[in-house]
Amino acid sequence: MELIGEIQDIIYRNEINSYTVATFETDEESTVVVGYLPFVGSGDSIKVEGKFVEHREYGRQFKVDTFEKLLPQTEAAIEKFLANGNIKGIGAATAKKIVKRFGKETLHILRDDPMKLSLISGISTKKAKEIGEEFIQNWEVWQLVGFLDKFGIGAEQAKKVFDLLGANAKEQIEENPYILIDIARGVDFAQIDKMALDLGISYDNDKRISSAVKYALIRSTYNGHACVQKQNLIDYVAQLIDVSSENVEDALINLKAKEEIVIEKRSEKEEYVYLQDFYQVEDEIAFRIKRLQKAKNVKKVNNLSKLLEKVQENSNIELSEKQKEAVNLVNENNVIIITGGPGTGKTTIIKTIIDIYESQGKKLVLTAPTGRAAKKIAETTGREALTLHRLLEIGKIDEEGMYKHNDYEGAPIDADLIIVDEMSMVDMFLMSYLLKCIYQGTKLILVGDVDQLSSVGPGSVLKDLINSGEVVTIHLDKIFRQAAKSKIILNAHRVNNGESFIPKGEKFVDEGTNEDFFFIRENSQEKVLEQVISLCTGRLKKYGDYDFFSSIQVLSPTKKGMLGTKELNKALQQALNPNTQHLPEKASNGAIFRQGDRVMQIKNNYDIYWEKEGEDGQTIAGSGVFNGEIGTITQISEKEKLVEVLFDDQKTAWYEFSELDQIEHSYAITIHKAQRKRI
């Protein structure tokens, strides 16, 4: 819906992104508006589009999607607008004089005939001119948000555009719409291109082709790529904007000359194209790794063999020769990679390293890229483990993943050894942040499996470091006896080796064996769906007392299709949680949410309120629910328009009906989500 009114007072504003909470007066009522409102202050008249929501703590609010700043209409509103410092050089007293003299014509005078202001005592002709220029600049800024909205650029990014381009941003964009490619993320290239062509820019214009090249490179980063094969890039851009390959080649030469891209030749036939920033990050990672390697080995411990014997004796374990080699390599090198598949003893090595170095008074820091991975390594070692984001004190990274790498200045990590687990999920920017925070002489131990899913962000750091041959790497390939009892682990290795599953053929759960791995072969999607529902609604319960809601997770490689997560969630919800008791439910974004549903948070929300019971029985309150956290809907209130979710870490959060786009059913989730979900 749409409201028109006046901002009465700013209750809260985030100075970084202009997220604002303000009192808002319309002709009908006074309410509170919340949303991204750059350039808006007390006394401003605005038109807002959005919806009313019910906040658990603060009650009824109007959540703003888009807004347009309007000129104030009444004399009182004009005076208040001018008195609030919106125009440099006009204070409360001067505002009163101006409005008293010009009345409702005041804004017309400011915009079109500012020299008349010199008729007022205390305003010189010079000051009148400056006030007029200031007003016109502000007016141009006010128009910017609505103008950018058609390019898919919201109010939050509009502030960034203004900060970079200044008050005449609109004119600059109208003259060259392609500049938005460089300064805003997630833009609608087709809309920008259409505007440029309408302005008369030719199809083979260098600005057009160069912008398409940069747009293509940016899009590739969304899929985790730091660079693109040159020929693939040329073919894509040529098709995207209907130009010749020669035109694209010329644009690449020009962009390289302007140092906006880097073209790296890896062989006679292979060339890769990077955006300059991405190449610099890769280069910086290599530089910092080499510098760490060359630093003096000041954290080395003496009498390692004796210390190792003592640890084995105390822990009642016997390390393999390769595990001992790994421990020795850690002692001899400042940077080392420990890699291997499941069950090959990586965790045992980590625990041994911790015991040895802690016995010598060394300080260790354990970290991992996700909450799930950090929790797992903490449980297996009995030591605290932090996510990399928490360790590096990285706050609210842009949801689109636009890492402000050059702006990050982290504090050095106080540690003698830093162990990073699940390293395969660390992207290039996170790795660069980490390396910026490591003292020279600190030991860095990277642990991971290159056959695990790669990072969501751009770059394949672990794999590339191993393949470079520049970092000391120990490959673990022996499956230990305890792990070998699991056919899941055995089959993971067989798949990597291109071999068939063990056991061969089909094994069905209801045969009553003690196996942990079954392969059920079906030749149609319908039959597979029947098997999944049958397993989840009784067969696994009979087999091992596995309850779906506490012990079972369905995974699919895709979201779409009959066996994608969307359709699986509908089918499993109907089978496992039908609304037979006619409890309240809420439809949202093509899904129906019910009490008892398993759901997952699908985006970071740093502001959502939650409560949980502490160890002393007292209620702990906090904020923030993050991408991948899973929970259960415990209540749906039509009266309060809230959905209550109890997450698996026992915190309870409340979602307004308007916020349900932040959660989705998690009876079935994608394999990527499973790899990264927070438990």
Side-chain angles (χ1 to χ4, degrees), residues 440-616:
Q440 296 305 296
T442 299
K443 286 185 179 292
L444 177 62
I445 303 147
L446 308 176
V447 184
D449 177 4
V450 291
D451 293 316
Q452 294 276 3
L453 291 175
S454 59
S455 62
V456 174
S460 182
V461 178
L462 179 64
K463 185 176 181 180
D464 289 346
L465 287 176
I466 293 172
N467 291 341
S468 73
E470 295 292 326
V471 181
V472 174
T473 301
I474 183 82
H475 293 266
L476 305 173
D477 50 18
K478 176 185 175 183
I479 305 174
F480 285 86
R481 193 182 335 171
Q482 191 63 31
K485 294 178 181 178
S486 168
K487 285 196 169 62
I488 296 173
I489 291 175
L490 289 172
N491 283 318
H493 287 271
R494 290 180 71 86
V495 168
N496 285 338
N497 294 331
E499 299 169 357
S500 60
F501 291 144
I502 298 172
K504 296 178 180 178
E506 289 85 14
K507 272 281 190 178
F508 293 90
V509 173
D510 33 12
E511 288 183 6
T513 68
N514 292 319
E515 302 285 349
D516 65 357
F517 179 93
F518 302 92
F519 174 56
I520 302 174
R521 187 191 304 273
E522 294 291 357
N523 295 321
S524 72
Q525 294 186 66
E526 290 80 4
K527 287 289 186 182
V528 173
L529 182 59
E530 287 177 15
Q531 290 279 7
V532 170
I533 292 174
S534 172
L535 289 165
C536 293
T537 55
R539 286 166 62 192
L540 284 169
K541 180 74 173 174
K542 293 176 182 176
Y543 171 73
D545 197 24
Y546 295 113
D547 173 68
F548 179 86
F549 290 94
S550 61
S551 307
I552 299 171
Q553 180 64 67
V554 177
L555 307 180
S556 173
T558 182
K559 290 184 177 182
K560 298 179 180 179
M562 181 183 291
L563 299 177
T565 55
K566 289 188 177 181
E567 292 303 319
L568 279 171
N569 273 314
K570 290 178 182 178
L572 288 166
Q573 181 196 41
Q574 183 59 34
L576 293 159
N577 192 30
N579 194 2
T580 54
Q581 299 181 41
H582 304 291
L583 295 172
E585 57 184 29
K586 175 62 181 174
S588 176
N589 297 312
I592 297 175
F593 292 106
R594 296 173 182 156
Q595 185 174 317
D597 277 346
R598 292 289 281 164
V599 292
M600 173 186 278
Q601 178 81 10
I602 59 172
K603 61 175 72 172
N604 289 338
N605 184 333
Y606 294 84
D607 302 313
I608 194 166
Y609 175 82
W610 55 257
E611 294 177 356
K612 69 187 297 185
E613 185 177 320
E615 293 181 3
D616 58 359

Side-chain angles (χ1 to χ4, degrees), residues 88 166 269 271 284 356 381 565 580 583 594 638 663:
K88 186 179 178 181
K269 295 184 178 180
E271 290 184 290
E284 186 174 301
I356 288 173
T381 62
T565 55
T580 54
L583 295 172
R594 296 173 182 156
E638 280 288 350
I663 60 174

Side-chain angles (χ1 to χ4, degrees), residues 631-664:
T632 302
I633 293 177
T634 49
Q635 187 177 350
I636 298 176
S637 172
E638 280 288 350
K639 182 179 179 181
E640 296 182 341
K641 299 192 182 308
L642 291 174
V643 172
E644 181 182 276
V645 178
L646 174 64
F647 284 94
D648 289 352
D649 63 358
Q650 298 307 301
K651 66 173 176 274
T652 298
W654 292 267
Y655 292 78
E656 299 160 7
F657 282 178
S658 61
E659 296 175 320
L660 292 180
D661 61 340
Q662 298 182 33
I663 60 174
E664 63 182 26

Side-chain angles (χ1 to χ4, degrees), residues 237-453:
V237 173
Q239 185 176 5
L240 175 69
I241 58 174
D242 194 20
V243 295
S244 70
S245 297
E246 289 75 15
N247 289 145
V248 182
E249 285 266 22
D250 290 342
L252 290 174
I253 293 169
N254 292 335
L255 286 168
K256 182 181 179 182
K258 291 188 286 186
E259 297 186 344
E260 294 185 51
I261 64 170
V262 173
I263 302 176
E264 182 180 75
K265 191 167 187 176
R266 298 185 183 176
S267 68
E268 285 301 317
K269 295 184 178 180
E270 268 195 335
E271 290 184 290
Y272 284 81
V273 183
Y274 290 79
L275 287 166
Q276 180 75 20
D277 289 346
F278 283 76
Y279 185 83
Q280 286 178 347
V281 171
E282 276 202 358
D283 191 54
E284 186 174 301
I285 289 171
F287 168 76
R288 290 181 181 274
I289 288 280
K290 294 293 285 185
R291 190 170 66 175
L292 273 177
Q293 287 176 319
K294 292 176 181 177
K296 189 175 180 180
N297 189 1
V298 295
K299 308 301 180 183
K300 181 177 180 178
V301 298
N302 298 318
N303 301 317
L304 179 66
S305 58
K306 289 184 179 180
L307 293 170
L308 186 53
E309 285 179 18
K310 188 175 180 181
V311 166
Q312 290 183 98
E313 184 180 333
N314 291 340
S315 57
N316 196 27
I317 60 170
E318 184 176 348
L319 271 64
S320 70
E321 289 305 312
K322 208 148 197 183
Q323 286 177 314
K324 291 176 184 177
E325 181 187 354
V327 175
N328 185 63
L329 287 171
V330 167
N331 200 39
E332 295 296 328
N333 296 275
N334 286 333
V335 183
I336 179 174
I337 296 171
I338 301 172
T339 186
T344 56
K346 298 190 296 294
T347 302
T348 300
I349 294 172
I350 292 174
K351 290 165 71 174
T352 303
I353 291 168
I354 291 171
D355 290 341
I356 288 173
Y357 283 87
E358 282 188 343
S359 73
Q360 299 302 297
K362 306 295 185 185
K363 183 175 181 180
L364 288 92
V365 166
L366 285 175
T367 186
T370 68
R372 178 192 185 195
K375 182 178 179 182
K376 178 184 173 185
I377 194 65
E379 289 173 345
T380 55
T381 62
R383 306 302 197 281
E384 180 187 26
L386 301 175
T387 64
L388 279 164
H389 284 70
R390 181 165 294 181
L391 173 67
L392 302 174
E393 298 180 353
I394 300 172
K396 299 183 182 183
I397 291 180
D398 186 293
E399 286 296 316
E400 294 291 334
M402 195 62 173
Y403 298 83
K404 297 176 177 62
H405 169 74
N406 293 326
D407 297 338
Y408 179 73
E409 293 295 338
I413 300 166
D414 180 18
D416 296 306
L417 290 86
I418 298 171
I419 300 175
V420 185
D421 197 22
E422 298 289 3
M423 184 62 202
S424 66
M425 291 189 283
V426 176
D427 65 40
M428 61 192 293
F429 288 98
L430 204 50
M431 185 63 178
S432 182
Y433 290 156
L434 173 64
L435 292 170
K436 279 186 172 186
C437 298
I438 298 178
Y439 283 116
Q440 296 305 296
T442 299
K443 286 185 179 292
L444 177 62
I445 303 147
L446 308 176
V447 184
D449 177 4
V450 291
D451 293 316
Q452 294 276 3
L453 291 175

